[in-house]
Amino acid sequence: MTLATPAMAEKYGLGRTALPEEIAAWDVDVQPDGTGLPVGSGNAFDGEEIFAEACASCHGDFAEGIDNWPKLAGGADTLDHEDPLKTVGSYWPYLSTTWDYVNRSMPFGNAQSLSADEVYAIVAYILYSNDIIDDEFELSNETFLDVQMPNAGGFIIDDREATEYAHWRGEPCMENCKDSVEITMRATVLNVTPDQDHGDAAMVEEAKATPAPEPEAAPEPEPEVAALDAELVAKGEKVFKKCKSCHQVGDNAKHKTGPILNGIYGAAIGGAEGFKYSKTMASFGGTWDDANLAGFLAKPRKFMKGTKMSFNGLRKEGDIAAMIEYLKSVSQ
């Protein structure tokens, strides 16, 4: 790319020299060491309201993402998984990148409309949603470098040009090539492709050798389950949309950032099979009854200190009651 200098402008008659104030309007980048940060401050409490108004339509009330819009929270300890969740909290190494991007490009469709204090507050809320700061932390140009990003040490300098390229770069060898290409082995010989006939015969023999099962005893009658409030369940299903980025329910549900919630009501806390819980959750004890669900849904990190849950909690008691009723419905 050619840089248009004032000399070139004069030579080719293109444009004019940019004024200092015009250059300053574009010069808004922030460096990892804090260079470029404006004076200002904000906290997660203020940021929650600003985020709800300016950002939640795309990123969700809890920075959990909506549809294909990016998730900004969650994903802790997933970078070594087959399908890692890369968020501000789990992946980004520098807080300056977050501040710069929010300040430069957000809100979508109305970029650079936020004040410095509003940007600090939004970034503080994103940090809080990732459990990086507590709710009393005041993020400012003076405290900016006090924040340690979890993946700050997860990146290395790409030095392959100096250390590797010389070993395999050079003129390609174009001599002594084979005249033809031949198939030397087939998958069936390597026992990669199963023998369908042999497999069917083996299954038949195995079935013959297996004794007939003993007749099962008549099942005991199941205890009566209290009828659910259909209207409350429907409301809870809507509230559950805030949880869908991390949790699934239904026949084809799979563990995501959070565990499957089928059968959660009345189940042991931290007991979903096949999900890797935090030590805090795994050792908490008890079951997910009304009281524990209500406490956790209201303030997860206050109810269970040390949990990795990025969800900030439901503020309305009606939403909590509806969510519990919905969880009951997917547990029957």
Side-chain angles (χ1 to χ4, degrees), residues 16 34 40 42 62 69 114 141 160 165 225-226 238 243 245 287 319:
R16 57 170 174 77
F62 306 101
W69 294 103
L114 299 168
N141 53 300
R160 289 174 295 178
Y165 288 5
V225 179
K238 293 180 180 179
C243 314
S245 61
T287 61
D319 287 348

Side-chain angles (χ1 to χ4, degrees), residues 17 48 52 57 73 126 131 133 136 143 167 179 193 229 234 249 276 278 291 296:
T17 303
E48 183 176 15
S57 60
I126 294 172
D131 207 20
I133 63 172
E136 297 179 354
T143 63
H167 295 293
D179 295 330
T193 305
D229 185 327
V249 295
K276 185 178 179 182
S278 66
F296 189 76

Side-chain angles (χ1 to χ4, degrees), residues 116-262:
D117 287 344
E118 288 174 328
V119 176
Y120 279 111
I122 288 174
V123 174
Y125 180 68
I126 294 172
L127 291 173
Y128 176 70
S129 298
N130 281 283
D131 207 20
I132 296 174
I133 63 172
D134 58 38
D135 52 10
E136 297 179 354
F137 185 83
E138 191 75 18
L139 183 66
S140 69
N141 53 300
E142 295 180 352
T143 63
F144 197 81
L145 297 183
D146 294 340
V147 179
Q148 298 298 315
M149 301 299 284
N151 198 39
F155 288 78
I156 60 174
I157 301 298
D158 185 357
D159 60 355
R160 289 174 295 178
E161 185 173 3
T163 59
E164 298 181 16
Y165 288 5
H167 295 293
W168 52 266
R169 273 190 171 176
E171 293 297 324
C173 174
M174 302 300 293
E175 299 178 357
N176 302 320
C177 301
K178 289 186 176 181
D179 295 330
S180 62
V181 177
E182 299 177 358
I183 297 174
T184 59
M185 189 68 72
R186 296 185 181 277
T188 52
V189 179
L190 296 172
N191 292 325
V192 175
T193 305
D195 187 332
Q196 185 66 38
D197 294 337
H198 173 75
D200 290 344
M203 291 176 64
V204 171
E205 292 300 321
E206 183 180 352
K208 289 180 180 179
T210 303
E214 295 290 335
E216 295 183 1
E220 296 182 3
E222 296 184 1
E224 292 186 7
V225 179
L228 295 172
D229 185 327
E231 186 176 342
L232 203 56
V233 170
K235 180 181 178 182
E237 187 174 8
K238 293 180 180 179
V239 178
F240 186 74
K241 291 180 179 180
K242 299 179 179 180
C243 314
K244 280 188 173 181
S245 61
C246 297
H247 298 281
Q248 289 188 349
V249 295
D251 295 337
N252 299 317
K254 297 180 180 179
H255 293 313
K256 299 179 70 178
T257 304
I260 296 170
L261 297 185
N262 293 338

Side-chain angles (χ1 to χ4, degrees), residues 29-38 96 120 141 144-145:
D29 63 299
V30 176
Q31 300 300 311
D33 63 359
T35 301
L37 279 172
S96 56
Y120 279 111
N141 53 300
F144 197 81
L145 297 183

